[in-house]
Amino acid sequence: MNSNDLRVGQGFDIHRFTDDPDRILVLGGCVFDGERGLEGHSDADAIAHACSDALLGAAGLGDIGMHFPDTDPAWKGADSLTLLQQVVRLVAADGWGVANIDCAVVCERPKLAPRRDEMQQTLTSIVGAPVSVKGNRAERLGALGRNEGIACFATALLVRGSSETELR
Ligand code: MG
């Protein structure tokens, strides 16, 4: 494999909590009952959004705001797993297979560890390659430390003309 056949991408997303009781909290495609939801045009799944941006960045295909603008009513309340799936298709159409994605989520609540396997399995099935999710607290520093929202950093690796399964 030639180094020209690899691309790394970084994605970041942050959403603030809302007191709107109609907003449900969705992270990594999983619903967290009994937790405050996040503000956003779509379902505000910060993990799925960061993964999408990491993939688009790696492929040099812009960002999710460009492909799925929040001014477009088509994406209002959108299931972000559908967006992520479309991003995987865009990247594949450009000749890239996903090797893996690694996510670091920063929040005080909810506790992610009990749902980590479920989020990883959900994201992995959508992406078609391993997706790992790690939770980190902000140690009471700043807005995230005051439990005002949730941020996610994601790193994606793409391989030219190959899927993760072919690599093995
Ligand atoms: Mg977002």
Side-chain angles (χ1 to χ4, degrees):
M1 189 190 307
N2 181 308
S3 61
N4 289 333
D5 296 334
L6 296 173
R7 290 283 188 283
V8 69
Q10 174 178 254
F12 170 76
D13 195 34
I14 187 165
H15 284 262
R16 72 167 66 230
F17 286 119
T18 171
D19 291 324
D20 180 349
D22 292 334
R23 294 284 298 181
I24 52 170
L25 179 62
V26 183
L27 286 175
C30 299
V31 172
F32 285 74
D33 289 321
E35 299 285 346
R36 277 193 299 169
L38 295 166
E39 280 182 14
H41 185 69
S42 66
D43 63 10
D45 185 338
I47 300 180
H49 293 176
C51 287
S52 299
D53 257 358
L55 292 169
L56 289 169
L61 291 173
D63 57 43
I64 51 170
M66 192 180 115
H67 292 278
F68 313 104
D70 62 10
T71 49
D72 185 342
W75 305 113
K76 186 165 171 53
D79 174 350
S80 297
L81 290 184
T82 306
L83 270 60
L84 179 58
Q85 197 160 41
Q86 292 208 31
V87 166
V88 171
R89 289 199 191 107
L90 282 169
V91 163
D94 214 44
W96 296 102
V98 184
N100 77 303
I101 305 177
D102 184 37
C103 301
V105 186
V106 186
C107 62
E108 294 296 311
R109 284 186 66 91
K111 280 200 185 325
L112 298 182
R115 307 289 299 280
R116 181 209 300 252
D117 288 350
E118 190 184 343
M119 288 189 286
Q120 291 185 158
Q121 282 166 19
T122 301
L123 293 164
T124 294
S125 73
I126 293 290
V127 170
V131 181
S132 49
V133 176
K134 310 180 304 296
N136 307 265
R137 294 183 59 200
E139 304 300 336
R140 288 186 279 169
L141 289 167
L144 293 169
R146 291 190 297 270
N147 194 29
E148 293 176 12
I150 296 179
C152 180
F153 301 84
T155 303
L157 185 68
L158 298 181
V159 183
R160 176 57 86 185
S162 176
S163 70
E164 182 270 343
T165 39
E166 288 169 69
L167 279 175
R168 291 186 173 173

